[in-house]
Amino acid sequence: MAEEPATKKQKTEDYVLYYWPGLPGRGEFVRLAFEYSGVPYTENLNPATLIPTLTTPSKSSHPPHFAPPALKLPSGRFISQTGAILNHVAPKLGLAGEKGNKVGKTTGAEWEEAEEERSAINQLVLTCMDLTLEIHDTHHPVAIDKYYEDQLSQAKDRTASFRSLRLPKFFAHFQNVLATNTEKHKNGGTYLIGSTTTTADLALFQVCSTITPSTFARLIKGFVEQVVDGLLFAFPKRVAALKATGDYDNVFELYERVKNEKGIKEYIASGRRQKYANGIWRHYEELDGDE
Amino acid sequence: MAEEPATKKQKTEDYVLYYWPGLPGRGEFVRLAFEYSGVPYTENLNPATLIPTLTTPSKSSHPPHFAPPALKLPSGRFISQTGAILNHVAPKLGLAGEKGNKVGKTTGAEWEEAEEERSAINQLVLTCMDLTLEIHDTHHPVAIDKYYEDQLSQAKDRTASFRSLRLPKFFAHFQNVLATNTEKHKNGGTYLIGSTTTTADLALFQVCSTITPSTFARLIKGFVEQVVDGLLFAFPKRVAALKATGDYDNVFELYERVKNEKGIKEYIASGRRQKYANGIWRHYEELDGDE
């Protein structure tokens, strides 16, 4: 598929996610947006053709791509970089906020207002992506081309700093965003922006999923057993300790809310959500701890 | 300044960059966009009020911000995350590509086409920001709260991998983007997207500036002496070796082109461009090398 020059912008009518098979990875942020919104998408997870396709403009449009995930748009154009993909599709999927969803339908002052809400969401998504990279680097602080086992002592050093300094800083930030959102409970939920689900909520949910421990999962009433059993979590002890402080309650509320939303709930229950493997998010007992 | 609730969206008429004083850092990506376009902006570089301002929605609008840089918009809203800022202002500054600059002025199919070009630029900017973070982590692979000297051996390990594996991968990517852009020489220059300067060009220029060595600078005919003398560069030997291969000629062409563009040339000559200090980009002799 997609062998035709994508620059011709053929109407293929659907979205196709190009990613690695066998792990959720950064592709999962894109999947959640489609699963939540109910807009159809398909996946191309062929590891043999993935990189050749994404680095060849005749196969995946110009500009070529640094790394997956990439999303083929209905026009035939491909967009990569998770944050760029989510910012692009958010208004099309109704995930750019009440005002932000209006971009493309308005011009002038109303467009300005819509763009500002959309950019605020983009800002929060990019912070989730920064956190994702920091989580990755806890187990690969030295070189991505070397085994975890060959950088174990450095991983322990980096992870100690991540647990004590960085993770609480990110949690405090998102707690601040939620606590100061005066509209967050208008619809009875917990929202980062306004009172509708956005790509920012889904991205924070995904990050929380991955740093969410089995310990934490047990603390959450009604957490889907299938997920608890199926996932490897990265920092069970540290996240449980942070939750126990009560300082980040809104973050955990959002996680709980998104998990039970229409679209996401069905997606988790479907078994289509991939299990954590040797990707960004790994659970190594020796890298976790209470503090 | 900016003590009034920004959510009221007062018409303040100008853009204000909030950042740390004394170093170019990620703020420099935002500065280059304004300097190139000639759109006026001012700066607020007060280190005592920076974080309290950016984390307090009554001072810097909702959502609050994880870290600087943040840009106050004419409406009074603040946007942070370098990639989100650049994506937001690109069409307003004429830096979103020939088609991309039309967002906000059109709807429907023409808007779709404009958004796709803008997102392609956003994608490239985000890859530049990823490279920036990797450069930072070469000297701080373990913990940002510890001194470089206390993580020297890990920094050497990480940097060896960065030089041999990551830097060539990023360079090869941008070379590929440039080499396959069939329109790049339409205006006689070297452009990542189409044949106009975009925020992607400026971001790649900035990253090249910072990894560009004194050795490399000497190789470039006409490189502004003032800049050569004023900057500390991170990887002189490695970049010189990569340049010598000839494999990344378009990347160096773009760097050369942007440096001499109206707006940027005057900015560099003005002396307002800040010197590299103990920020993201540092030059440590022991971390550099040919290979």
Side-chain angles (χ1 to χ4, degrees):
Chain A
M1 65 189 303
E3 293 297 317
E4 68 279 8
T7 43
K8 284 188 182 168
K9 304 207 171 192
Q10 313 202 7
K11 284 282 166 197
T12 52
E13 294 299 321
D14 61 352
Y15 291 95
V16 187
L17 175 65
Y18 283 69
Y19 199 60
W20 298 111
L23 72 170
R26 287 182 177 82
E28 192 66 9
F29 292 94
V30 182
R31 289 186 189 107
L32 287 175
F34 282 92
E35 295 287 347
Y36 180 87
S37 67
V39 171
Y41 71 108
T42 56
E43 300 194 56
N44 187 319
L45 306 176
N46 184 335
T49 59
L50 183 64
I51 298 301
T53 299
L54 296 188
T55 56
T56 308
S58 63
K59 294 179 179 170
S60 57
S61 71
H62 189 273
H65 308 277
F66 185 71
L71 183 70
K72 185 183 178 190
L73 306 175
S75 70
R77 285 278 294 253
F78 284 58
I79 300 288
S80 59
Q81 275 283 0
T82 313
I85 296 169
L86 293 178
N87 185 65
H88 190 86
V89 299
K92 299 172 202 303
L93 304 184
L95 294 171
E98 247 176 304
K99 289 172 190 155
N101 287 331
K102 293 181 187 160
V103 298
K105 295 169 192 154
T106 58
T107 56
E110 201 179 17
W111 174 79
E112 289 278 355
E113 199 176 44
E115 272 288 314
E116 290 189 8
E117 185 164 84
R118 182 194 192 188
S119 289
I121 291 160
N122 187 22
Q123 162 190 320
L124 296 171
V125 167
L126 291 179
T127 302
C128 287
M129 299 318 298
D130 284 349
L131 174 54
T132 297
L133 186 58
E134 292 202 22
I135 293 170
H136 171 271
D137 281 5
T138 58
H139 54 74
H140 274 74
V142 172
I144 64 163
D145 58 327
K146 287 185 182 159
Y147 290 113
Y148 162 67
E149 289 72 17
D150 294 334
Q151 46 197 304
L152 182 57
S153 75
Q154 297 96 326
K156 283 183 178 170
D157 289 344
R158 171 127 188 170
T159 305
S161 168
F162 175 77
R163 291 204 320 257
S164 66
L165 187 77
R166 301 297 290 172
L167 187 53
K169 185 177 157 93
F170 279 101
F171 268 28
H173 167 65
F174 287 114
Q175 172 69 17
N176 185 18
V177 173
L178 289 162
T180 56
N181 177 7
T182 52
E183 294 178 29
K184 70 173 178 296
H185 286 136
K186 213 173 72 180
N187 291 345
T190 305
Y191 302 86
L192 286 163
I193 300 280
S195 53
T196 60
T197 295
T198 66
T199 49
D201 292 344
L202 298 175
L204 181 57
F205 166 76
Q206 175 57 16
V207 177
C208 283
S209 294
T210 64
I211 56 176
T212 296
S214 49
T215 311
F216 169 51
R218 283 194 296 273
L219 293 173
I220 296 180
K221 187 175 164 254
F223 191 91
V224 186
E225 269 305 303
Q226 189 173 353
V227 178
V228 178
D229 290 336
L231 300 181
L232 288 170
F233 297 109
F235 297 106
K237 292 176 188 164
R238 184 59 183 139
V239 174
L242 289 176
K243 183 172 163 59
T245 65
D247 291 343
Y248 314 105
D249 281 352
N250 287 164
V251 176
F252 293 101
E253 271 171 42
L254 179 140
Y255 174 78
E256 175 78 350
R257 194 261 301 167
V258 170
K259 185 169 55 67
N260 288 298
E261 285 264 20
K262 188 172 177 330
I264 301 303
K265 193 174 180 174
E266 287 78 2
Y267 173 51
I268 293 172
S270 74
R272 286 183 291 114
R273 187 160 151 95
Q274 300 203 38
K275 293 191 194 328
Y276 294 96
N278 273 341
I280 300 164
W281 299 294
R282 306 184 184 187
H283 176 69
Y284 292 117
E285 184 63 30
E286 66 274 22
L287 294 185
D288 194 20
D290 290 333
E291 74 312 313
Chain B
M1 64 190 306
E3 294 298 317
E4 69 278 9
T7 43
K8 284 189 182 166
K9 304 210 169 189
Q10 313 202 8
K11 283 282 168 199
T12 53
E13 295 298 321
D14 60 354
Y15 292 95
V16 187
L17 174 66
Y18 283 70
Y19 199 59
W20 297 112
L23 73 169
R26 289 183 176 82
E28 192 67 10
F29 292 93
V30 183
R31 289 187 188 107
L32 287 175
F34 282 92
E35 295 286 348
Y36 180 87
S37 67
V39 171
Y41 71 108
T42 56
E43 301 193 56
N44 187 320
L45 306 177
N46 184 337
T49 59
L50 182 64
I51 298 303
T53 299
L54 296 187
T55 55
T56 309
S58 63
K59 294 179 180 173
S60 57
S61 72
H62 190 274
H65 309 278
F66 185 72
L71 183 70
K72 186 184 177 189
L73 305 175
S75 70
R77 285 276 296 250
F78 284 59
I79 300 288
S80 59
Q81 275 282 1
T82 313
I85 295 170
L86 293 178
N87 185 65
H88 190 87
V89 299
K92 298 171 202 302
L93 303 183
L95 294 170
E98 249 176 303
K99 289 173 191 154
N101 288 332
K102 293 181 189 160
V103 298
K105 296 169 190 151
T106 57
T107 56
E110 201 178 16
W111 175 79
E112 289 278 355
E113 198 176 44
E115 272 288 314
E116 289 188 9
E117 185 164 84
R118 182 194 193 190
S119 288
I121 292 161
N122 187 22
Q123 163 190 319
L124 296 171
V125 166
L126 291 179
T127 302
C128 287
M129 299 318 298
D130 284 349
L131 174 54
T132 298
L133 186 59
E134 292 201 23
I135 293 171
H136 172 272
D137 281 4
T138 58
H139 54 74
H140 274 74
V142 173
I144 65 162
D145 57 325
K146 286 185 183 162
Y147 290 114
Y148 162 65
E149 290 72 15
D150 294 335
Q151 46 196 305
L152 182 58
S153 75
Q154 297 96 326
K156 283 182 179 172
D157 289 345
R158 171 127 189 173
T159 305
S161 168
F162 175 76
R163 290 204 319 257
S164 66
L165 187 76
R166 300 298 289 172
L167 187 54
K169 184 177 158 92
F170 278 101
F171 267 29
H173 167 65
F174 287 114
Q175 172 69 18
N176 186 18
V177 174
L178 289 162
T180 56
N181 177 8
T182 52
E183 295 179 27
K184 71 172 177 296
H185 287 137
K186 214 173 70 178
N187 291 344
T190 306
Y191 302 85
L192 287 163
I193 299 280
S195 53
T196 60
T197 295
T198 65
T199 48
D201 292 345
L202 298 175
L204 181 57
F205 165 76
Q206 175 57 16
V207 177
C208 282
S209 294
T210 63
I211 55 174
T212 296
S214 48
T215 312
F216 170 51
R218 283 194 296 271
L219 294 173
I220 296 181
K221 188 174 163 253
F223 191 92
V224 186
E225 269 307 304
Q226 189 175 354
V227 178
V228 178
D229 290 337
L231 299 184
L232 287 172
F233 297 110
F235 297 106
K237 293 176 187 164
R238 183 60 182 137
V239 175
L242 289 176
K243 182 171 163 59
T245 64
D247 291 343
Y248 314 104
D249 282 352
N250 287 165
V251 177
F252 293 102
E253 270 170 43
L254 179 140
Y255 174 79
E256 176 79 350
R257 193 261 300 166
V258 171
K259 185 168 57 65
N260 289 297
E261 285 263 20
K262 188 173 176 334
I264 300 302
K265 193 173 180 177
E266 289 76 4
Y267 173 52
I268 292 172
S270 73
R272 286 183 291 113
R273 188 160 150 95
Q274 299 202 41
K275 295 190 193 330
Y276 294 97
N278 274 343
I280 300 164
W281 301 294
R282 307 184 184 187
H283 175 69
Y284 293 116
E285 184 62 32
E286 67 273 21
L287 293 186
D288 194 20
D290 289 335
E291 76 311 316

